[in-house]
């Protein structure tokens, strides 16, 4: 079986290519996805090989991209939409939450909307405003949508294919600052045997406390765990992978083992995923907990100017500070 | 506008031109209002598609002022591009090639008029009298645009494509509700956007609103032929200025590389708006000579011969040819303007390099006009956290 070292971006590109090969109904659409290969080149070379009817440069209209994809999906296609940056999904928000998410329910199951909405998200690349946001909670809050995020190249390659093959509408969040990070990718094998899309995964086992993360923060938490190990603390890192629905069973198992938990995300804390997770753990694992579930997150402010984003983003030190607090209880 | 340079915004008592420029009458392309050919020939007047006659009557000083504006704006833009290349700016959206559209329309604004820009309107910003350091701060990442939109009558840059056209429409509706239209002193509003933006729902919705509310608004579309990589044909099958007809207001296409025509057409549309005659659409037909932004790679989607053909229509070259032919200036004038541009760009560079990063705690400021106890607490906690590093390298 072929294992290759790929960047997360290239892994997504390869996964998209395979999806286009495997199903003639798959179409990719978005702004600049064709000739340019997307502003991050995630669709690089796909239009050249599959033609401009399968890889479609759309007008510059996010609402139009999602709205026309709904029609294509009803007609039997499997559209994969690229939203160029997180901060530009909001013009399409109405279509996503009011149409995409509800079509199946409203039609009492007679219509499927098997579409994937790819969004490069999160900060850390020194971008201007509207290019660094974490909008996951908006979508996770909406019934009818599934929300996933990949944290390494292996998951990127498999999860994008699983998302496209799924009949659910899926918001697929790509941690843009990890696009250039490399890792091994197992390229062969049937999709059904790949690690399930909706399962969380322990990416580093440990005994003293659990770090829960997803997307860009998985790497940060792994680094924090390595640093903590030098101080004699064994942290377990769990990659949630799917944000809606959450794989709470895996979460509870880990927290029951370690007795302490810190949830880490870039998005603001107020009504963020961490709040939900902390509440659930408190409800389910109360007697296993040595201390309250803590959150290390972005602040409740608009994403700040890039010269202060390092202060805004949870980093290794802030994660370790959170860990210290959970032990200080 | 440079100090001591009367320029074209000082209207009213206007000295008779000392050397009346030679002018040809009539216009070649009925779809393109032009008053200065690429060769630098003056055209006395030109007609829009609805029969409107466009002409300008500038003094020599005003012609000189426009030329100076074009050169200074181009130089500022070049300096910013260089600063980005040297890692001093995170990004830069260059206006190279679009100077005439921006200076022409920017100088046509009266002090009371309000402008709603995109992220590329550095030339208009300059015409509004805003310190050119301001957009560099935004692109450097030390702030998100530092000027006072009300003081300068120039709104924040807008990055979400098309969003500002609705803001402009609402603002213009407010102008009308305040009773500030209907005469020479009336206020007008201008909304800038690109050809790609015309596909956005917001832009189309703003056309509808501006039309039915008769908003004193000029839609100024700089058709620079591309939206990042996508050519005009990917946005539209009809000339953009003709869209206006479907929404019920006039549309006109102007040579966007001709500063005189850009001025004339914009001034006319603004005056109509301020007099209560509602919105109009101007399509400034121009070309983006450089990359979309400094992160773009235009060789992937654009051919060299196309760029060359537009080079021959350069807005500054034709003004220069005109000024020379008409003997409005001599060579020393060009040298003096170039020297001013050089000095200003050196100054600008020094000031950019000296721009401090913001204090971390300032990111909590101005989230809510009246503050928020939760946020105050978060700020205090973060301050304490930062203080815990005191003495260490943090
Ligand atoms: C709503 C939205 N979608 C996508 C983008 C990313 N983007 C920035 S500029 C641009 C192209 C804009 O083209 P156009 O409107 O023609 O203006 P130009 O930059 O050419 O002046 C795109 C796709 C954005 N800023 N906003």
């Amino acid at each position: 079986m072929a294992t290759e070292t790929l960047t997360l971006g290239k892994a997504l590109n390869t996964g998209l290519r395979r999806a286009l090969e495997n199903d003639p109904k798959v179409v990719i659409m978005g702004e600049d996805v064709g000739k340019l290969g997307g502003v991050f080149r995630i669709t690089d070379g796909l239009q050249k090989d599959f033609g401009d009817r399968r890889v479609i440069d759309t007008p510059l209209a996010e609402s139009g991209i999602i709205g026309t994809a709904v029609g294509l999906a009803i007609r039997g296609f499997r559209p994969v939409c690229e939203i160029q940056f997180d901060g530009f999904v909001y013009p399409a928000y109405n279509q996503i939450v009011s149409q995409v998410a509800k079509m199946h329910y409203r039609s009492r199951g007679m219509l499927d909307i098997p579409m994937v909405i790819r969004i490069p998200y999160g900060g850390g690349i020194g971008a201007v405003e509207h290019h660094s946001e974490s909008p996951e909670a908006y979508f996770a809050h909406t019934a009818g949508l599934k929300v996933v995020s990949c944290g390494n190249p292996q998951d990127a390659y498999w999860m994008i294919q699983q998302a496209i093959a799924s009949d659910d509408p899926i918001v697929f969040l790509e941690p843009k600052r990890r696009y250039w990070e490399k890792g091994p990718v197992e390229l062969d094998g049937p999709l059904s045997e790949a690690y399930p899309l909706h399962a969380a995964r322990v990416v580093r086992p440990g005994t003293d406390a659990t770090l829960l993360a997803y997307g860009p923060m998985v790497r940060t938490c792994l680094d924090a765990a390595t640093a903590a190990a030098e101080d004699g603390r064994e942290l377990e890192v769990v990659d949630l992978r799917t944000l809606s629905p959450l794989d709470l069973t895996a979460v509870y198992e880990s927290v029951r083992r370690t007795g302490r938990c810190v949830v880490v995300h870039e998005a603001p804390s107020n009504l963020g995923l961490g709040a939900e997770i902390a509440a659930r753990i408190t409800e389910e694992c109360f007697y296993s907990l040595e201390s309250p579930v803590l959150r290390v997150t972005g602040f409740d402010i608009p994403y700040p100017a890039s010269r202060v984003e390092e202060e805004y983003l949870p980093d290794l030190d802030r994660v370790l500070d959170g860990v210290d607090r959970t032990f200080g209880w | 506008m440079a100090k001591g340079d009367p320029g074209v915004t000082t209207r009213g008592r206007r000295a008779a031109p000392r050397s009346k420029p030679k002018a040809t009458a009539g216009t070649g392309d009925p779809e393109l209002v032009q008053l200065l050919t690429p060769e630098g020939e003056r055209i006395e007047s030109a007609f829009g598609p609805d029969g409107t006659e466009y002409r300008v009557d500038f003094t020599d000083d005003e012609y000189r002022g426009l030329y100076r504006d074009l050169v200074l704006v181009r130089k500022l833009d070049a300096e910013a591009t260089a600063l980005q290349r040297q890692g001093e700016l995170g990004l830069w959206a260059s206006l190279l090639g679009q100077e005439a559209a921006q200076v022409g329309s920017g100088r046509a604004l009266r002090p009371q008029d309000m402008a709603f820009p995109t992220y590329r309107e550095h030339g208009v910003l300059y015409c509004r009298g805003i310190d050119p350091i301001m957009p560099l701060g935004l692109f450097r990442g030390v702030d998100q645009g530092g000027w006072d939109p009300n003081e300068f009558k120039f709104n924040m840059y807008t990055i979400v494509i098309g969003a500002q056209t609705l803001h402009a429409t609402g603002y213009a509706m407010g102008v009308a509700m305040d009773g500030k239209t209907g005469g020479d002193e009336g206020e007008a509003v201008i909304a800038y956007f690109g050809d790609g933006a015309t596909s956005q729902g917001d832009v189309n919705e703003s056309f509808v609103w501006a039309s039915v509310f008769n908003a004193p608004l000029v839609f100024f579309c700089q058709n620079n032929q591309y939206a990042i990589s996508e050519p005009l044909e990917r946005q539209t099958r009809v000339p953009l200025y003709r869209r206006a007809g479907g929404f019920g207001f006039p549309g006109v296409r102007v040579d966007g590389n001709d500063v005189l025509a850009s001025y004339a057409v914009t001034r006319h549309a603004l005056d109509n708006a301020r007099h209560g005659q509602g919105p109009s659409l101007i399509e400034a037909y121009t070309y983006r000579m450089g990359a979309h932004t400094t992160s773009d790679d235009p060789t992937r989607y654009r051919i060299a011969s196309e760029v060359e053909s537009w080079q021959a229509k350069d807005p500054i070259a034709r003004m220069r040819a005109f000024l020379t032919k008409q003997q409005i200036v001599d060579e020393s004038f060009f040298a003096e303007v170039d020297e001013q541009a050089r000095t200003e760009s050196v100054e600008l560079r020094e000031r950019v390099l000296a721009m401090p990063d913001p204090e971390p705690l300032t990111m909590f400021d101005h989230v809510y006009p009246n503050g928020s106890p939760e946020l105050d607490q978060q700020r205090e906690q973060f301050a304490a956290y930062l203080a815990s590093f005191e003495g260490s390298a943090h």
Side-chain angles (χ1 to χ4, degrees):
Chain A
M1 290 228 252
T3 302
E4 273 185 50
T5 302
L6 299 178
T7 62
L8 191 145
K10 184 64 185 168
L12 285 166
N13 177 268
T14 312
L16 288 168
R17 172 176 292 278
R18 210 174 125 173
L20 284 164
E21 272 162 13
N22 287 348
D23 185 348
K25 291 294 187 187
V26 172
V27 290
I28 290 177
M29 49 201 287
E31 296 160 10
D32 305 292
V33 298
K35 273 208 187 97
L36 190 67
V39 291
F40 289 106
R41 311 288 185 260
I42 304 304
T43 54
D44 196 18
L46 299 179
Q47 189 184 62
K48 188 165 123 300
D49 295 340
F50 294 92
D52 59 8
R53 292 187 184 193
R54 308 245 358 245
V55 182
I56 305 165
D57 271 332
T58 65
L60 207 169
E62 284 73 16
S63 192
I65 293 169
I66 302 301
T68 55
V70 169
L72 279 165
I74 293 172
R75 179 77 196 180
F77 287 84
R78 306 185 87 83
V80 182
C81 302
E82 175 173 303
I83 297 292
Q84 202 157 63
F85 283 93
D86 34 49
F88 307 138
V89 70
Y90 306 116
Y93 189 68
N94 169 48
Q95 282 287 339
I96 297 174
V97 302
S98 304
Q99 305 300 324
V100 176
K102 291 182 179 164
M103 202 66 81
H104 187 75
Y105 187 75
R106 212 192 284 141
S107 70
R108 299 190 196 180
M110 284 183 285
L111 293 178
D112 282 344
I113 308 294
M115 75 187 252
V116 176
I117 302 166
R118 295 180 39 237
I119 310 176
Y121 85 118
I125 64 162
V128 291
E129 57 176 346
H130 309 299
H131 290 73
S132 304
E133 304 185 17
S134 300
E136 59 267 30
Y138 298 127
F139 299 109
H141 191 68
T142 301
L145 296 176
K146 291 195 172 169
V147 185
V148 309
S149 181
C150 50
N152 59 47
Q154 171 78 11
D155 271 348
Y157 174 74
W158 287 107
M159 286 171 74
I160 188 64
Q161 293 181 68
Q162 291 169 323
I164 294 169
S166 163
D167 286 335
D168 297 316
I170 293 185
V171 175
F172 193 92
L173 298 168
E174 302 173 359
K176 70 167 87 78
R177 74 158 130 158
R178 307 295 180 204
Y179 272 145
W180 301 275
E181 289 190 12
K182 289 186 174 162
V185 180
E186 171 55 59
L187 289 172
D188 300 330
L191 213 45
S192 55
E193 279 174 37
Y195 205 80
L197 185 60
H198 299 300
R201 172 151 52 193
V202 176
V203 288
R204 176 184 171 117
T207 48
D208 299 338
T210 298
L211 294 177
L212 294 181
Y214 54 89
M217 283 294 114
V218 175
R219 174 83 265 149
T220 307
C221 287
L222 284 170
D223 292 345
T226 306
E230 284 164 26
D231 297 330
R233 262 182 199 151
E234 288 304 326
L235 305 182
E236 177 152 289
V237 181
V238 176
D239 180 353
L240 292 169
R241 297 173 79 254
T242 299
L243 316 183
S244 182
L246 283 162
D247 180 6
L248 289 164
T249 313
V251 170
Y252 299 154
E253 273 169 18
S254 176
V255 174
R256 288 204 178 99
R257 261 197 311 276
T258 64
R260 299 174 198 276
C261 181
V262 180
V263 192
V264 183
H265 57 65
E266 286 187 21
S269 62
N270 187 37
L271 302 177
L273 236 59
E276 179 63 23
I277 293 168
R280 299 296 193 102
I281 293 173
T282 310
E283 286 166 13
E284 292 297 321
C285 311
F286 190 69
Y287 291 107
S288 310
L289 286 173
E290 305 284 344
S291 66
V293 180
L294 296 183
R295 287 170 286 169
V296 174
T297 68
F299 301 113
D300 295 327
I301 60 173
Y303 196 88
S306 63
R307 287 296 172 111
V308 284
E309 71 175 342
E310 277 182 31
E311 310 291 343
Y312 170 87
L313 292 168
D315 60 6
L316 186 141
D317 285 331
R318 263 176 56 201
V319 174
L320 290 176
D321 183 63
V323 171
D324 284 344
R325 280 187 286 130
T326 181
F327 278 97
W329 219 269
Chain B
M1 168 134 335
K3 262 199 233 82
D5 187 340
V8 297
T9 47
T10 30
R11 316 294 304 170
R13 27 129 235 131
R14 192 186 296 155
R18 274 174 316 187
S19 51
K20 184 93 182 141
K22 194 161 53 101
T24 23
T27 166
D29 181 356
E31 282 210 302
L32 192 72
V33 174
Q34 191 181 66
L35 295 175
L36 186 63
T37 70
E39 295 73 35
E41 297 295 338
R42 258 310 250 114
I43 297 166
E44 188 154 332
S45 78
F47 292 91
D50 60 356
T52 303
E53 185 182 5
Y54 297 101
R55 52 167 71 236
V56 282
D57 184 15
F58 286 120
T59 65
D60 287 356
D61 265 353
E62 288 170 333
Y63 282 129
R64 280 191 283 264
L66 285 171
Y67 177 82
R68 189 183 300 274
D69 289 342
L70 294 172
V71 171
L72 294 185
V73 163
R74 176 169 291 186
K75 183 70 178 174
L76 142 78
D77 183 70
E79 189 61 50
T81 304
L83 283 164
Q84 194 284 333
R85 291 285 178 248
Q86 290 155 15
E88 296 296 338
L89 303 180
L91 183 79
W92 183 249
S94 166
L95 59 45
L96 185 63
Q98 302 180 214
E99 295 89 350
Q102 295 202 12
V103 168
S105 63
R107 287 296 180 211
L109 292 165
R110 295 209 185 155
Q112 71 267 31
D113 296 340
M114 180 73 167
F116 285 82
T118 75
Y119 44 78
R120 202 188 289 285
E121 265 63 79
H122 323 308
V124 186
L125 172 137
Y126 169 87
C127 292
R128 293 264 85 186
I130 295 172
D131 185 341
I133 191 101
M134 290 301 180
L136 283 91
L138 170 73
F139 286 105
R140 187 172 165 83
V142 301
D143 59 40
Q144 296 177 334
W147 61 91
D148 177 348
N150 284 314
E151 182 190 345
F152 293 97
K153 296 271 181 181
F154 183 82
N155 212 62
M156 306 287 292
Y157 275 8
T158 305
I159 289 177
V160 178
I161 298 297
Q164 77 281 6
T165 59
L166 281 168
H167 309 163
T169 305
Y171 187 96
M173 288 165 64
V175 169
M177 287 189 287
D178 284 343
K180 298 287 181 164
T181 58
D184 263 351
E185 297 313 308
E187 293 178 32
V189 183
I190 190 165
Y192 288 89
F193 53 99
D195 40 293
T198 61
S199 295
Q200 286 282 352
D202 282 2
V203 172
N204 290 274
E205 287 169 37
S206 68
F207 285 172
V208 173
W209 280 61
S211 176
V212 300
F213 289 100
N214 203 42
L217 180 57
V218 175
F219 292 105
F220 194 91
C221 175
Q222 285 165 85
N223 176 359
N224 66 8
Q225 315 298 330
Y226 284 94
I228 309 190
S229 70
E230 299 192 359
L232 186 62
E233 303 83 71
R234 198 24 71 105
Q235 312 294 341
T236 184
R237 287 184 62 174
V238 296
L240 290 175
Y241 77 92
R242 285 199 214 152
R243 292 249 180 116
F247 291 93
F249 50 85
V252 57
R253 177 183 279 178
V254 64
D255 183 341
N257 285 16
D258 170 353
V259 71
L260 306 183
S262 296
Y263 178 94
V265 167
T266 312
R267 172 52 67 104
H268 181 85
L270 286 166
D271 281 344
N272 275 353
R274 83 179 77 257
H275 280 95
Q277 288 162 38
S280 47
L281 169 64
I282 296 170
E283 177 190 2
Y285 203 72
T286 181
Y287 194 76
R288 190 190 81 208
M289 294 302 297
H292 167 72
T293 66
T294 43
S295 359
D296 179 31
D297 173 9
T299 61
R300 282 189 173 227
Y301 55 84
R302 188 166 92 171
I303 48 169
S305 61
E306 181 185 276
V307 182
E308 277 163 27
S309 80
W310 279 92
Q311 225 131 29
K313 302 177 190 165
D314 185 80
I316 297 184
R318 71 172 78 173
M319 261 312 261
R320 193 180 168 117
F322 165 70
L323 292 176
T324 310
K325 270 187 221 167
Q326 296 304 320
Q327 298 177 333
I328 293 173
V329 302
D330 56 26
E331 277 302 314
S332 67
F333 170 76
F334 296 126
E336 183 258 311
V337 172
D338 287 348
E339 181 51 27
Q340 183 190 351
R342 205 190 59 78
T343 320
E344 286 188 9
S345 76
V346 169
E347 271 170 30
L348 190 68
R349 151 173 301 262
E350 282 163 3
R351 290 168 64 210
V352 167
L353 299 184
M355 269 179 148
D357 286 356
E359 286 298 322
L361 289 175
T362 60
M363 69 175 151
F364 291 95
D365 294 346
H366 305 301
V367 179
Y368 305 101
N370 296 313
S372 132
E374 291 80 10
L375 202 53
D376 291 347
Q377 198 189 6
Q378 229 171 61
R379 185 209 318 256
E380 272 164 36
Q381 282 167 353
F382 188 55
Y385 168 72
L386 286 182
S388 73
F389 286 93
E390 220 98 284
S392 75
H394 197 89

